[in-house]
Amino acid sequence: MVASIPAPGQAHWSSKAAFVLAAVGSAVGLGNLWRFPAEAGANGGGAFVLIYIICVALIGAPLLLAETLIGRHGQRSTVASAALMARQSNASSAWASLAVVGMIANYLILTFYSVVAGWVLYFIWTSGSDVLRTMAAGQPFAGAYANLSVEQVRQQMPDLFSDPVKMSIAHFVFAATTTFVVARGVKGGIEVAATWLMPAFFVLLLGITIYAGISGDFSAAVAFLFTPDFARALEPQVLNSALGQAFFSLSLGGGAMIAYGAYASRDTNLGQTSGMISAADTGVAIIAGLAIFPIVFSVGLTPDAGPTLMFQTLPAAFHSMPAGALVALAFFVLALFAALTSSVSLLEISTAYFVERLRLSRGVVASLLGASFFLIGMVSVLSFNVWADHRPLAFLPGFENANWFDAFDGVTGRILLPLSGLITAVFIGWIADRKLVDDETGLQRSPLLPLWRFLIAWLCPIAVFLILLFGLFPQLIR
Ligand code: PFF
């Protein structure tokens, strides 16, 4: 029956490797380089890392399989794929709401993800001009921003925040690039971007990590990341942040993995690829931690600088490093590659949906969505300066101090993604036709199948329900 339904896109990745690279490209992004070290630093290092790995293995990887199999089975947009599976399981098509909630969440994530990626672009600009300056001065191995004091280096981020024009230009350039790649489609755009940028990303990241290992305080970083304080690991705040980070980092909940699964060929073993994608994403997060923390410790900075770690702490550290100017540029270029292969997956979801619904061309749909997410993202840009005092969701607990940017981040990460993940787990674990689901997993003859079934039907819904609860009522864990 499935084969007789024409798939609207008919597009496929050209190989299994291309699918894995694109999915890893979606998963690996600012979540690994910017959010993971910040969360690990703020939540006790080793305790967070331990819980994070457990969350990825027991909740993230099983959900990743659930999402990719919905997509591969349906071979259409996330909403249509979920609706098709519901129909074939004699269940209400209201179950497709999982994908609708996810699509809205990912569109909203894109609005502020592009703003943060814009900061990366800005730092490529400043560190790039710095490299040109050091080259012209005949000192290619100088530290970053050697003509500035450390205070001035740290001041770059607040200065950028107070300048809405610079921030909007950077946000615009990133939004336009994302739109261009998605408009070109799966093979011509997304796959080309992922197959070139991801390997380049890995090489650059390894280079920086080796450099950090040699010139930074590697043993302090290893001790920080891998010595868990078990009392801390059981704090609700740590559990909650680790679960949320697993969702964000593996691109779960929003349907990105349903969208990419839709282009996977029938002979791709999704059980196996889900394991590979989860392992690669986690490996990159840990390697990113091993690149960042040795540098932070070697110059005596604290690891808990939070979201400013990547844009304030690291540039200050590059300042006092030999060849810091080159390392800074390499690091921000790497972050840009990672951000771009993630942002295209965020835009792909709504693009595929409207192409299917409105029967318009990809280029038109992607451009309209691109223009609209750029405009909504302007609200986040302004929340750092002109509208810095606005507290749009002050009436919601946990959002009292949230500006517009925090509100977009909080509503999507703490509410919408877990909500859609919860519906996905219940749908796949309890509602969808068992045989149909099992046949898509590639685990039919493996002892992993009953384990996966248990995790998706029991552990995932319960754990995700808890994140959602704590996301909505943070006072419960205080
Ligand atoms: N996983 C991406 C990151 O770690 O940066 C962010 C992301 C991409 C989240 C795609 C959700 C998504 F659908």
Side-chain angles (χ1 to χ4, degrees), residues 206-386:
L206 276 183
I208 292 188
T209 310
I210 292 169
Y211 176 85
I214 295 169
S215 69
D217 193 344
F218 200 65
S219 56
V222 170
F224 177 69
L225 289 172
F226 301 114
T227 324
D229 165 357
F230 288 100
R232 199 81 215 262
L234 295 177
E235 278 176 21
Q237 163 67 35
V238 173
L239 290 168
N240 191 202
S241 317
L243 264 166
Q245 174 63 17
F247 258 85
F248 189 87
S249 192
L250 291 174
S251 305
L252 293 176
M257 291 299 168
I258 306 182
Y260 278 12
Y263 305 118
S265 67
R266 294 260 163 228
D267 54 8
T268 302
N269 180 328
L270 296 178
Q272 201 180 55
T273 51
S274 302
M276 286 161 65
I277 297 161
S278 309
D281 184 65
T282 309
V284 169
I286 289 173
I287 295 174
L290 288 175
I292 289 174
F293 287 114
I295 301 176
V296 168
F297 286 123
S298 72
V299 284
L301 299 166
T302 54
D304 58 357
T308 60
L309 196 60
M310 183 167 143
F311 298 102
Q312 222 169 1
T313 312
L314 265 191
F318 293 143
H319 182 255
S320 56
M321 271 168 115
L326 287 170
V327 177
L329 179 61
F331 179 81
F332 287 112
V333 168
L334 168 127
L336 182 74
F337 288 178
L340 188 65
T341 52
S342 296
S343 64
V344 295
S345 74
L346 287 164
L347 183 58
E348 170 60 23
I349 301 163
S350 36
T351 303
Y353 177 74
F354 286 111
V355 165
E356 191 178 82
R357 278 254 118 152
L358 306 178
R359 307 236 164 238
L360 289 172
S361 78
R362 228 173 203 277
V364 170
V365 172
S367 308
L368 289 174
L369 287 168
S372 65
F373 89 73
F374 166 73
L375 287 177
I376 300 177
M378 284 305 296
V379 174
S380 286
V381 166
L382 295 176
S383 72
F384 288 93
N385 34 69
V386 183

Side-chain angles (χ1 to χ4, degrees), residues 147-221:
N147 57 335
L148 304 179
S149 68
V150 186
E151 288 70 38
Q152 286 170 321
V153 173
R154 295 177 63 90
Q155 191 54 34
Q156 290 187 102
M157 194 182 176
D159 283 351
L160 173 64
F161 283 179
S162 62
D163 188 337
V165 176
K166 276 194 190 129
M167 263 218 264
S168 327
I169 295 173
H171 165 48
F172 176 81
V173 173
F174 188 81
T177 312
T178 302
T179 306
F180 176 75
V181 174
V182 173
R184 297 203 41 170
V186 174
K187 278 214 181 96
I190 300 174
E191 184 175 310
V192 172
T195 43
W196 285 94
L197 297 185
M198 285 326 287
F201 170 90
F202 289 126
V203 173
L204 271 175
L205 180 64
L206 276 183
I208 292 188
T209 310
I210 292 169
Y211 176 85
I214 295 169
S215 69
D217 193 344
F218 200 65
S219 56

Side-chain angles (χ1 to χ4, degrees), residues 67 97-99 101-102 247 253-255 415-425:
E67 287 205 9
S97 62
L98 71 95
V101 174
F247 258 85
I415 303 173
L416 299 180
L417 290 186
L419 180 64
S420 148
L422 174 65
I423 309 175
T424 308

Side-chain angles (χ1 to χ4, degrees), residues 66 423-432 434 437 452-453 456-458 461:
I423 309 175
T424 308
V426 172
F427 175 63
I428 290 296
W430 298 94
I431 307 294
R434 212 169 225 262
V437 166
W452 175 73
R453 280 237 148 248
I456 204 74
W458 291 99

